[in-house]
């Protein structure tokens, strides 16, 4: 049986998204998976820190799912990190609430995979771009799993979309 998974989803224009909307809809029916849409929950960016910390405490795996925006996360996810992962709770003296939990990034890009290489258009790999998230997980004592990156999401065919959903579901169904 898969662990209890919280997907922290951040997309500022979900109504325009075909790829991320399909991915979220494609996994939302799984047992032990909760999709938590940060933009829907906090359109004013006033994050309920205690509620978010309680959600994190109740889950074994944490997924940060978002499109890749300007080489980073959408703004609300950065705000979520800043507000929720507090010293003394998530890290630092007495801050071990997330210790041992599995963390993973699930990211969509508009560019091709070869654009994210030293020789490519973006000059760096996705793993390099995601290092701040990996380090955040590490600081919090979490086990950071390899990111699941879906490239060229803007150009997906129906078949591409289904393959991405299947890959996402397969990872979520893997026992830990």
């Amino acid at each position: 049986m898969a662990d209890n998974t919280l997907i922290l989803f951040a997309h500022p224009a979900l109504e325009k998204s075909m790829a991320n909307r399909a991915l979220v809809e494609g996994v939302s029916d799984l047992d032990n998976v909760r999709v938590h849409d940060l933009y829907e929950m906090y359109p004013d960016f006033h994050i309920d820190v205690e509620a978010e910390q309680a959600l994190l405490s109740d889950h074994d795996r944490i997924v940060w799912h978002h499109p890749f925006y300007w080489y980073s996360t959408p703004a609300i996810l950065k705000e979520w990190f800043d507000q929720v992962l507090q010293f003394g709770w998530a890290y630092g003296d007495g801050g071990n609430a997330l210790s041992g939990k599995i963390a993973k990034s699930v990211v969509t890009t508009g560019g091709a995979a070869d654009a994210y290489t030293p020789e490519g258009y973006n000059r760096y790999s996705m793993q390099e771009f995601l290092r701040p998230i990996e380090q955040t997980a590490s600081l919090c004592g979490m086990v950071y799993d390899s990111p699941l990156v879906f490239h060229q999401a803007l150009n997906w065919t129906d078949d591409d979309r289904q393959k991405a959903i299947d890959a996402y579901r397969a990872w979520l169904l893997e026992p830990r």
Side-chain angles (χ1 to χ4, degrees):
M1 172 126 113
D3 290 331
N4 200 10
T5 303
L6 176 64
I7 298 173
L8 293 162
F9 179 68
H11 195 303
L14 186 57
E15 69 281 358
K16 295 178 183 178
S17 170
M18 294 183 66
N20 283 284
R21 187 173 59 236
L23 287 168
V24 167
E25 289 172 358
V27 301
S28 63
D29 66 328
L30 293 174
D31 290 338
N32 297 319
V33 171
R34 177 176 178 166
V35 176
H36 186 56
D37 185 335
L38 294 176
Y39 276 102
E40 181 179 303
M41 195 71 189
Y42 304 112
D44 58 2
F45 280 57
H46 291 103
I47 295 170
D48 184 338
V49 172
E50 288 182 14
E52 294 300 308
Q53 289 176 345
L55 273 175
L56 291 169
S57 294
D58 289 343
H59 292 84
D60 302 314
R61 294 193 298 179
I62 311 302
V63 175
W64 295 298
H65 177 157
H66 59 90
F68 200 51
Y69 269 46
W70 286 104
Y71 307 106
S72 188
T73 68
I76 199 160
L77 188 53
K78 176 62 169 90
E79 181 71 7
W80 182 94
F81 284 124
D82 291 346
Q83 297 297 315
V84 175
L85 303 182
Q86 294 179 347
F87 182 86
W89 185 81
Y91 69 99
D93 291 337
N96 59 1
L98 303 176
S99 184
K101 293 181 185 279
I102 295 171
K104 186 175 190 77
S105 293
V106 174
V107 180
T108 58
T109 74
D114 63 3
Y116 294 92
T117 64
E119 301 77 26
Y121 179 80
N122 295 303
R123 301 179 6 180
Y124 301 98
S125 69
M126 281 302 297
Q127 187 162 351
E128 289 173 283
F129 282 121
L130 293 172
R131 288 253 191 259
I133 295 173
E134 180 180 359
Q135 179 56 28
T136 297
S138 178
L139 180 67
C140 295
M142 302 172 85
V143 177
Y144 188 74
D145 198 2
S146 297
L148 186 56
V149 180
F150 298 108
H151 293 286
Q152 291 188 304
L154 299 173
N155 300 319
W156 281 355
T157 64
D158 289 342
D159 188 48
D160 295 332
R161 192 172 296 108
Q162 189 58 54
K163 285 179 183 175
I165 292 167
D166 292 345
Y168 198 2
R169 288 178 68 91
W171 180 79
L172 288 168
L173 291 170
E174 287 176 11
R176 297 286 170 210

